[in-house]
Amino acid sequence: EAALAPAAPGTVFVPGVSTARVIRGDNLWSISRRAYGNGLRYTVIFDANQRQIRDPNRIYPGQVFVLPGEAPAVQGQTRESRG
């Protein structure tokens, strides 16, 4: 196996970012269930997106939320890579 070369100084690595686009009828609980398999993790989504979410009971179609951690890709969720 070939060893990976070390990154050059000043190189920034940004891993892929999971996101979810809000559709009509969504709430943080349902997005959390789709993304993480557990509705109780809605607080993780809320904490990561507090600049967009003033009231966790009021989210709007078209909003795009960051989903922290490893969330499997599901319908309504996209995977974006930056780098």
Side-chain angles (χ1 to χ4, degrees):
E1 270 182 47
L4 294 176
T11 300
V12 177
F13 172 73
V14 179
V17 176
S18 293
T19 60
R21 181 177 302 275
V22 178
I23 58 174
R24 186 174 185 205
D26 271 348
N27 56 50
L28 292 178
W29 185 276
S30 65
I31 295 170
S32 177
R33 282 185 50 196
R34 280 197 316 261
Y36 301 115
N38 183 353
L40 287 173
R41 294 200 59 198
Y42 78 92
T43 58
V44 173
I45 299 170
F46 176 70
D47 290 342
N49 296 280
Q50 285 188 3
R51 290 183 179 204
Q52 288 189 72
I53 306 171
R54 293 186 185 136
D55 179 347
N57 295 311
R58 294 187 180 267
I59 61 175
Y60 302 96
Q63 287 182 298
V64 178
F65 297 143
V66 171
L67 302 175
E70 289 301 315
V74 294
Q75 183 180 4
Q77 178 180 330
T78 60
R79 188 102 175 140
E80 298 176 8
S81 294
R82 296 182 183 193

